[in-house]
Amino acid sequence: MIGQAAGPIDEGAAPFPRSLREGRQTVWLRPAISRSSEVREIVSSAEVEAAVQRFRRFEPVLAGLFGEQEWDGRVRSALIPLSADRHWVKGDHALPMTGSIKARGGVHEVLRLVEERARAQGLLGGDDYRCLLDAGSRSAMAGRKVVVASTGNLGYSVGLVARAFGLRAEIHMSRDAKLWKKEALRAVGATVVEHDCDYTSTVARARAAAATDDAHFIDDERSRDLMTGYAAAGVELEEQLLGAGLEIGPARPLVVYLPCGVGGAPGGITLGLKRRFGDSVITVFVEPVASACVMAAMIQGGCEPVDVASYGGNNDTIADGLAVGRASDLMLSACGNLVDAVVAVTDQDMIMAMRDAWLTYGLRFEPSAAASMAAHSPLMASAARSHGWPDLAHAHHLFWATGGSRLPADEFSALLAR
Ligand SMILES: *Cc1c(COP(=O)(O)O)cnc(C)c1O
């Protein structure tokens, strides 16, 4: 899983723990839990509120486009109690439209683009957006092209929703992307460009391909629209926690386990939650040990992206949603200081958690989503040994399940059998 780095590892400049370099489970803890007073305004609460409102305006349109199963158009997932005491799952694996957390960030950026184009073309009179369902509006959208690079889920989600509105979609897939996602995209008329390289290089090629006037490039490493779309989930979760009567405070913190690729999704959610709950929420980012780009950045000070090759990571992991070699610049500057812990897990850890979620709870996760559950025990063991961390004996634990309900049955059983 961990290959040779491009050159010899410089031990002096890179004090990476031995377990990380050897491809074993590793935990990084911030010395003390971050506070809401440390939340930066790089991505402001007004921007997040604007995303919440945008999702609201589009509800009737999304219901019209994707409402086969009597969906009301609201992008919202269930808060699922597990049988274990004070353990919860946030069910983004079953989000409408795309079956992954990308229905928040990726879809939000598509909605912003559709809105911008519709305004420019004079299609929108007031706040009733149902005119976007008309054939005329679809043909107006065809003048614009969305370009994105993806390991799978981002491209799948952006492509599906962009095409539903009539936008053209060009999806650049890295070698991690699964065949069924490419086929589904082609079936809705998206152009899929396949690259035999990793995610970082695919991004560079997609960016170059998007240098035309009619194209909009969705930049996973820098996009504010992605991040604010994810951050909107903070509002949703707060309502659900209140509804479930959960008491959260210093004596009963909420530990949230967030699967992490470039960090946009977990970062956006972290921003939303820290603003509301301060240090009563503890955020744990979870990465494959072969793609621990946020852990690598944290170990080196947390200000700049660090390539996983610097500790010997090679991005070879079954968690295609997380196979990313460099963290998002925007995430590190907007909320890198709010990441309380990073847990790097092995492929085997994820497979076991995936099996457990299915056999014990009947929940269908892809490996990326199961990473959240795999991080629980190692986090608890490290936190118990740390002096600066609170006692987690009475904490609530929330596992963010980021994808999986769309996984074809044969892929799912092949993964379970590994
Ligand atoms: C995209 C994705 C993530 C992580 O999102 P980033 O913004 O890349 O950090 C986690 N899980 C799944 C299933 C995903 O598709």
Side-chain angles (χ1 to χ4, degrees), residues 2-3 9 11 14-28 289-290 295 299 310-313 344 346:
I2 295 283
I9 296 170
E11 303 277 347
F16 295 112
R18 184 172 177 160
S19 55
L20 182 64
R21 288 186 277 122
E22 292 179 353
R24 288 178 287 117
Q25 200 183 70
T26 304
V27 179
W28 174 86
V289 72
M295 180 177 284
I299 289 169
S310 57
Y311 70 82
T346 65

PDB file of all heavy atoms in Angstrom, residues 2-3 9 11 14-28 289-290 295 299 310-313 344 346:
ATOM      1  N   ILE A   2       1.929   1.226   0.759  1.00  0.00           N
ATOM      2  CA  ILE A   2       2.803   2.393   0.778  1.00  0.00           C
ATOM      3  C   ILE A   2       3.998   2.065  -0.101  1.00  0.00           C
ATOM      4  O   ILE A   2       4.707   1.095   0.150  1.00  0.00           O
ATOM      5  CB  ILE A   2       3.270   2.683   2.215  1.00  0.00           C
ATOM      6  CG1 ILE A   2       2.074   3.068   3.078  1.00  0.00           C
ATOM      7  CG2 ILE A   2       4.343   3.731   2.239  1.00  0.00           C
ATOM      8  CD1 ILE A   2       1.589   4.452   2.889  1.00  0.00           C
ATOM      9  N   GLY A   3       4.206   2.855  -1.119  1.00  0.00           N
ATOM     10  CA  GLY A   3       5.319   2.570  -2.026  1.00  0.00           C
ATOM     11  C   GLY A   3       6.515   3.437  -1.695  1.00  0.00           C
ATOM     12  O   GLY A   3       6.542   4.117  -0.675  1.00  0.00           O
ATOM     13  N   ILE A   9      13.537   9.753   1.597  1.00  0.00           N
ATOM     14  CA  ILE A   9      12.815  10.589   2.551  1.00  0.00           C
ATOM     15  C   ILE A   9      13.835  11.366   3.386  1.00  0.00           C
ATOM     16  O   ILE A   9      14.776  10.787   3.928  1.00  0.00           O
ATOM     17  CB  ILE A   9      11.927   9.708   3.443  1.00  0.00           C
ATOM     18  CG1 ILE A   9      10.862   9.039   2.569  1.00  0.00           C
ATOM     19  CG2 ILE A   9      11.284  10.523   4.547  1.00  0.00           C
ATOM     20  CD1 ILE A   9      10.066   7.972   3.284  1.00  0.00           C
ATOM     21  N   GLU A  11      14.728  12.720   6.520  1.00  0.00           N
ATOM     22  CA  GLU A  11      14.278  12.536   7.905  1.00  0.00           C
ATOM     23  C   GLU A  11      14.317  13.844   8.685  1.00  0.00           C
ATOM     24  O   GLU A  11      13.497  14.069   9.558  1.00  0.00           O
ATOM     25  CB  GLU A  11      15.160  11.503   8.616  1.00  0.00           C
ATOM     26  CG  GLU A  11      15.210  10.142   7.941  1.00  0.00           C
ATOM     27  CD  GLU A  11      14.033   9.249   8.311  1.00  0.00           C
ATOM     28  OE1 GLU A  11      13.315   9.593   9.268  1.00  0.00           O
ATOM     29  OE2 GLU A  11      13.844   8.225   7.639  1.00  0.00           O
ATOM     30  N   ALA A  14      11.240  16.091   7.651  1.00  0.00           N
ATOM     31  CA  ALA A  14       9.927  15.474   7.742  1.00  0.00           C
ATOM     32  C   ALA A  14       9.810  14.544   8.935  1.00  0.00           C
ATOM     33  O   ALA A  14      10.076  13.359   8.829  1.00  0.00           O
ATOM     34  CB  ALA A  14       9.645  14.713   6.438  1.00  0.00           C
ATOM     35  N   PRO A  15       9.428  15.082  10.070  1.00  0.00           N
ATOM     36  CA  PRO A  15       9.356  14.237  11.262  1.00  0.00           C
ATOM     37  C   PRO A  15       8.065  13.421  11.272  1.00  0.00           C
ATOM     38  O   PRO A  15       7.238  13.541  12.171  1.00  0.00           O
ATOM     39  CB  PRO A  15       9.377  15.260  12.401  1.00  0.00           C
ATOM     40  CG  PRO A  15       8.720  16.480  11.827  1.00  0.00           C
ATOM     41  CD  PRO A  15       9.003  16.457  10.344  1.00  0.00           C
ATOM     42  N   PHE A  16       7.881  12.614  10.238  1.00  0.00           N
ATOM     43  CA  PHE A  16       6.648  11.824  10.170  1.00  0.00           C
ATOM     44  C   PHE A  16       6.783  10.598  11.068  1.00  0.00           C
ATOM     45  O   PHE A  16       7.840   9.968  11.106  1.00  0.00           O
ATOM     46  CB  PHE A  16       6.387  11.384   8.731  1.00  0.00           C
ATOM     47  CG  PHE A  16       6.111  12.527   7.802  1.00  0.00           C
ATOM     48  CD1 PHE A  16       7.011  12.862   6.807  1.00  0.00           C
ATOM     49  CD2 PHE A  16       4.942  13.272   7.937  1.00  0.00           C
ATOM     50  CE1 PHE A  16       6.766  13.915   5.954  1.00  0.00           C
ATOM     51  CE2 PHE A  16       4.690  14.336   7.079  1.00  0.00           C
ATOM     52  CZ  PHE A  16       5.603  14.664   6.085  1.00  0.00           C
ATOM     53  N   PRO A  17       5.708  10.252  11.775  1.00  0.00           N
ATOM     54  CA  PRO A  17       5.800   9.073  12.632  1.00  0.00           C
ATOM     55  C   PRO A  17       6.102   7.817  11.817  1.00  0.00           C
ATOM     56  O   PRO A  17       5.685   7.708  10.660  1.00  0.00           O
ATOM     57  CB  PRO A  17       4.421   8.978  13.289  1.00  0.00           C
ATOM     58  CG  PRO A  17       3.584  10.041  12.710  1.00  0.00           C
ATOM     59  CD  PRO A  17       4.413  10.903  11.826  1.00  0.00           C
ATOM     60  N   ARG A  18       6.792   6.916  12.446  1.00  0.00           N
ATOM     61  CA  ARG A  18       7.214   5.705  11.778  1.00  0.00           C
ATOM     62  C   ARG A  18       6.005   4.900  11.266  1.00  0.00           C
ATOM     63  O   ARG A  18       6.025   4.347  10.169  1.00  0.00           O
ATOM     64  CB  ARG A  18       8.014   4.889  12.782  1.00  0.00           C
ATOM     65  CG  ARG A  18       8.574   3.663  12.195  1.00  0.00           C
ATOM     66  CD  ARG A  18       9.509   3.019  13.185  1.00  0.00           C
ATOM     67  NE  ARG A  18       9.979   1.787  12.573  1.00  0.00           N
ATOM     68  CZ  ARG A  18      11.058   1.162  12.944  1.00  0.00           C
ATOM     69  NH1 ARG A  18      11.788   1.665  13.922  1.00  0.00           N
ATOM     70  NH2 ARG A  18      11.402   0.051  12.346  1.00  0.00           N
ATOM     71  N   SER A  19       4.939   4.850  12.056  1.00  0.00           N
ATOM     72  CA  SER A  19       3.760   4.061  11.653  1.00  0.00           C
ATOM     73  C   SER A  19       3.194   4.594  10.337  1.00  0.00           C
ATOM     74  O   SER A  19       2.807   3.825   9.462  1.00  0.00           O
ATOM     75  CB  SER A  19       2.691   4.105  12.743  1.00  0.00           C
ATOM     76  OG  SER A  19       2.356   5.442  13.052  1.00  0.00           O
ATOM     77  N   LEU A  20       3.187   5.908  10.171  1.00  0.00           N
ATOM     78  CA  LEU A  20       2.672   6.507   8.932  1.00  0.00           C
ATOM     79  C   LEU A  20       3.568   6.127   7.759  1.00  0.00           C
ATOM     80  O   LEU A  20       3.112   5.730   6.692  1.00  0.00           O
ATOM     81  CB  LEU A  20       2.602   8.037   9.086  1.00  0.00           C
ATOM     82  CG  LEU A  20       2.046   8.818   7.895  1.00  0.00           C
ATOM     83  CD1 LEU A  20       0.578   8.458   7.650  1.00  0.00           C
ATOM     84  CD2 LEU A  20       2.176  10.328   8.112  1.00  0.00           C
ATOM     85  N   ARG A  21       4.874   6.225   7.982  1.00  0.00           N
ATOM     86  CA  ARG A  21       5.818   5.892   6.907  1.00  0.00           C
ATOM     87  C   ARG A  21       5.734   4.418   6.535  1.00  0.00           C
ATOM     88  O   ARG A  21       5.993   4.039   5.411  1.00  0.00           O
ATOM     89  CB  ARG A  21       7.244   6.254   7.335  1.00  0.00           C
ATOM     90  CG  ARG A  21       7.464   7.776   7.350  1.00  0.00           C
ATOM     91  CD  ARG A  21       8.913   8.129   7.642  1.00  0.00           C
ATOM     92  NE  ARG A  21       9.191   8.120   9.067  1.00  0.00           N
ATOM     93  CZ  ARG A  21      10.120   7.362   9.643  1.00  0.00           C
ATOM     94  NH1 ARG A  21      10.864   6.549   8.929  1.00  0.00           N
ATOM     95  NH2 ARG A  21      10.317   7.422  10.940  1.00  0.00           N
ATOM     96  N   GLU A  22       5.344   3.587   7.515  1.00  0.00           N
ATOM     97  CA  GLU A  22       5.282   2.146   7.243  1.00  0.00           C
ATOM     98  C   GLU A  22       3.880   1.684   6.847  1.00  0.00           C
ATOM     99  O   GLU A  22       3.622   0.481   6.735  1.00  0.00           O
ATOM    100  CB  GLU A  22       5.795   1.374   8.460  1.00  0.00           C
ATOM    101  CG  GLU A  22       7.287   1.602   8.660  1.00  0.00           C
ATOM    102  CD  GLU A  22       7.844   0.872   9.872  1.00  0.00           C
ATOM    103  OE1 GLU A  22       7.049   0.290  10.650  1.00  0.00           O
ATOM    104  OE2 GLU A  22       9.080   0.901  10.041  1.00  0.00           O
ATOM    105  N   GLY A  23       2.962   2.623   6.688  1.00  0.00           N
ATOM    106  CA  GLY A  23       1.639   2.245   6.201  1.00  0.00           C
ATOM    107  C   GLY A  23       0.744   1.607   7.251  1.00  0.00           C
ATOM    108  O   GLY A  23      -0.180   0.880   6.921  1.00  0.00           O
ATOM    109  N   ARG A  24       1.011   1.901   8.510  1.00  0.00           N
ATOM    110  CA  ARG A  24       0.144   1.380   9.571  1.00  0.00           C
ATOM    111  C   ARG A  24      -0.745   2.490  10.109  1.00  0.00           C
ATOM    112  O   ARG A  24      -0.477   3.671   9.909  1.00  0.00           O
ATOM    113  CB  ARG A  24       1.008   0.780  10.693  1.00  0.00           C
ATOM    114  CG  ARG A  24       1.663  -0.545  10.284  1.00  0.00           C
ATOM    115  CD  ARG A  24       2.549  -1.121  11.368  1.00  0.00           C
ATOM    116  NE  ARG A  24       3.805  -0.391  11.520  1.00  0.00           N
ATOM    117  CZ  ARG A  24       4.164   0.267  12.615  1.00  0.00           C
ATOM    118  NH1 ARG A  24       3.375   0.289  13.672  1.00  0.00           N
ATOM    119  NH2 ARG A  24       5.320   0.914  12.661  1.00  0.00           N
ATOM    120  N   GLN A  25      -1.796   2.065  10.796  1.00  0.00           N
ATOM    121  CA  GLN A  25      -2.740   3.005  11.398  1.00  0.00           C
ATOM    122  C   GLN A  25      -1.990   4.049  12.248  1.00  0.00           C
ATOM    123  O   GLN A  25      -1.110   3.692  13.021  1.00  0.00           O
ATOM    124  CB  GLN A  25      -3.631   2.169  12.301  1.00  0.00           C
ATOM    125  CG  GLN A  25      -4.933   2.761  12.678  1.00  0.00           C
ATOM    126  CD  GLN A  25      -5.629   1.812  13.642  1.00  0.00           C
ATOM    127  OE1 GLN A  25      -5.204   1.656  14.780  1.00  0.00           O
ATOM    128  NE2 GLN A  25      -6.694   1.191  13.176  1.00  0.00           N
ATOM    129  N   THR A  26      -2.369   5.316  12.096  1.00  0.00           N
ATOM    130  CA  THR A  26      -1.654   6.392  12.794  1.00  0.00           C
ATOM    131  C   THR A  26      -2.658   7.451  13.253  1.00  0.00           C
ATOM    132  O   THR A  26      -3.627   7.723  12.562  1.00  0.00           O
ATOM    133  CB  THR A  26      -0.627   7.052  11.833  1.00  0.00           C
ATOM    134  OG1 THR A  26       0.242   6.042  11.319  1.00  0.00           O
ATOM    135  CG2 THR A  26       0.206   8.116  12.533  1.00  0.00           C
ATOM    136  N   VAL A  27      -2.402   8.022  14.418  1.00  0.00           N
ATOM    137  CA  VAL A  27      -3.287   9.083  14.927  1.00  0.00           C
ATOM    138  C   VAL A  27      -2.457  10.334  15.178  1.00  0.00           C
ATOM    139  O   VAL A  27      -1.372  10.263  15.756  1.00  0.00           O
ATOM    140  CB  VAL A  27      -3.971   8.646  16.244  1.00  0.00           C
ATOM    141  CG1 VAL A  27      -4.863   9.763  16.794  1.00  0.00           C
ATOM    142  CG2 VAL A  27      -4.791   7.373  16.041  1.00  0.00           C
ATOM    143  N   TRP A  28      -2.969  11.465  14.714  1.00  0.00           N
ATOM    144  CA  TRP A  28      -2.376  12.763  15.062  1.00  0.00           C
ATOM    145  C   TRP A  28      -3.403  13.541  15.895  1.00  0.00           C
ATOM    146  O   TRP A  28      -4.558  13.657  15.483  1.00  0.00           O
ATOM    147  CB  TRP A  28      -2.033  13.553  13.794  1.00  0.00           C
ATOM    148  CG  TRP A  28      -1.556  14.953  14.065  1.00  0.00           C
ATOM    149  CD1 TRP A  28      -0.289  15.351  14.332  1.00  0.00           C
ATOM    150  CD2 TRP A  28      -2.368  16.150  14.126  1.00  0.00           C
ATOM    151  NE1 TRP A  28      -0.252  16.712  14.554  1.00  0.00           N
ATOM    152  CE2 TRP A  28      -1.509  17.216  14.443  1.00  0.00           C
ATOM    153  CE3 TRP A  28      -3.733  16.395  13.966  1.00  0.00           C
ATOM    154  CZ2 TRP A  28      -1.970  18.539  14.581  1.00  0.00           C
ATOM    155  CZ3 TRP A  28      -4.201  17.708  14.109  1.00  0.00           C
ATOM    156  CH2 TRP A  28      -3.309  18.757  14.416  1.00  0.00           C
ATOM    157  N   VAL A 289      -4.233   5.553   5.006  1.00  0.00           N
ATOM    158  CA  VAL A 289      -2.839   5.800   5.363  1.00  0.00           C
ATOM    159  C   VAL A 289      -1.982   6.055   4.108  1.00  0.00           C
ATOM    160  O   VAL A 289      -0.962   6.742   4.167  1.00  0.00           O
ATOM    161  CB  VAL A 289      -2.306   4.647   6.255  1.00  0.00           C
ATOM    162  CG1 VAL A 289      -2.107   3.369   5.456  1.00  0.00           C
ATOM    163  CG2 VAL A 289      -1.055   5.048   6.981  1.00  0.00           C
ATOM    164  N   ALA A 290      -2.432   5.564   2.959  1.00  0.00           N
ATOM    165  CA  ALA A 290      -1.699   5.823   1.707  1.00  0.00           C
ATOM    166  C   ALA A 290      -1.959   7.224   1.153  1.00  0.00           C
ATOM    167  O   ALA A 290      -1.260   7.682   0.252  1.00  0.00           O
ATOM    168  CB  ALA A 290      -2.087   4.784   0.648  1.00  0.00           C
ATOM    169  N   MET A 295      -3.138  14.832   7.295  1.00  0.00           N
ATOM    170  CA  MET A 295      -2.243  14.494   8.411  1.00  0.00           C
ATOM    171  C   MET A 295      -0.825  14.997   8.117  1.00  0.00           C
ATOM    172  O   MET A 295      -0.181  15.600   8.979  1.00  0.00           O
ATOM    173  CB  MET A 295      -2.215  12.986   8.666  1.00  0.00           C
ATOM    174  CG  MET A 295      -1.292  12.618   9.812  1.00  0.00           C
ATOM    175  SD  MET A 295      -1.268  10.857  10.215  1.00  0.00           S
ATOM    176  CE  MET A 295      -2.807  10.639  11.079  1.00  0.00           C
ATOM    177  N   ILE A 299       1.183  17.686  10.471  1.00  0.00           N
ATOM    178  CA  ILE A 299       2.465  17.370  11.101  1.00  0.00           C
ATOM    179  C   ILE A 299       3.507  18.433  10.744  1.00  0.00           C
ATOM    180  O   ILE A 299       4.345  18.800  11.555  1.00  0.00           O
ATOM    181  CB  ILE A 299       2.938  15.956  10.667  1.00  0.00           C
ATOM    182  CG1 ILE A 299       2.037  14.912  11.338  1.00  0.00           C
ATOM    183  CG2 ILE A 299       4.407  15.723  10.995  1.00  0.00           C
ATOM    184  CD1 ILE A 299       2.218  13.501  10.813  1.00  0.00           C
ATOM    185  N   SER A 310       5.909  12.689   0.404  1.00  0.00           N
ATOM    186  CA  SER A 310       6.960  13.111   1.325  1.00  0.00           C
ATOM    187  C   SER A 310       7.085  12.171   2.522  1.00  0.00           C
ATOM    188  O   SER A 310       8.115  12.148   3.178  1.00  0.00           O
ATOM    189  CB  SER A 310       6.742  14.553   1.788  1.00  0.00           C
ATOM    190  OG  SER A 310       5.484  14.670   2.386  1.00  0.00           O
ATOM    191  N   TYR A 311       6.060  11.404   2.843  1.00  0.00           N
ATOM    192  CA  TYR A 311       6.238  10.392   3.892  1.00  0.00           C
ATOM    193  C   TYR A 311       6.211   8.971   3.324  1.00  0.00           C
ATOM    194  O   TYR A 311       6.270   7.986   4.050  1.00  0.00           O
ATOM    195  CB  TYR A 311       5.192  10.541   5.007  1.00  0.00           C
ATOM    196  CG  TYR A 311       3.780  10.169   4.605  1.00  0.00           C
ATOM    197  CD1 TYR A 311       3.353   8.843   4.600  1.00  0.00           C
ATOM    198  CD2 TYR A 311       2.863  11.146   4.229  1.00  0.00           C
ATOM    199  CE1 TYR A 311       2.065   8.486   4.217  1.00  0.00           C
ATOM    200  CE2 TYR A 311       1.578  10.810   3.847  1.00  0.00           C
ATOM    201  CZ  TYR A 311       1.187   9.476   3.847  1.00  0.00           C
ATOM    202  OH  TYR A 311      -0.084   9.137   3.465  1.00  0.00           O
ATOM    203  N   GLY A 312       6.096   8.858   1.987  1.00  0.00           N
ATOM    204  CA  GLY A 312       6.083   7.547   1.361  1.00  0.00           C
ATOM    205  C   GLY A 312       4.699   7.078   0.952  1.00  0.00           C
ATOM    206  O   GLY A 312       4.526   5.939   0.533  1.00  0.00           O
ATOM    207  N   GLY A 313       3.689   7.939   1.074  1.00  0.00           N
ATOM    208  CA  GLY A 313       2.329   7.570   0.664  1.00  0.00           C
ATOM    209  C   GLY A 313       2.237   7.502  -0.851  1.00  0.00           C
ATOM    210  O   GLY A 313       2.840   8.323  -1.545  1.00  0.00           O
ATOM    211  N   ALA A 344      -5.331   8.079  10.388  1.00  0.00           N
ATOM    212  CA  ALA A 344      -5.039   7.411   9.107  1.00  0.00           C
ATOM    213  C   ALA A 344      -5.300   5.920   9.300  1.00  0.00           C
ATOM    214  O   ALA A 344      -4.760   5.305  10.219  1.00  0.00           O
ATOM    215  CB  ALA A 344      -3.589   7.663   8.704  1.00  0.00           C
ATOM    216  N   THR A 346      -5.997   1.847   7.557  1.00  0.00           N
ATOM    217  CA  THR A 346      -5.572   0.971   6.461  1.00  0.00           C
ATOM    218  C   THR A 346      -6.794   0.500   5.666  1.00  0.00           C
ATOM    219  O   THR A 346      -7.930   0.614   6.128  1.00  0.00           O
ATOM    220  CB  THR A 346      -4.850  -0.277   7.004  1.00  0.00           C
ATOM    221  OG1 THR A 346      -5.796  -1.044   7.759  1.00  0.00           O
ATOM    222  CG2 THR A 346      -3.678   0.101   7.902  1.00  0.00           C
TER     223      THR A 346
END
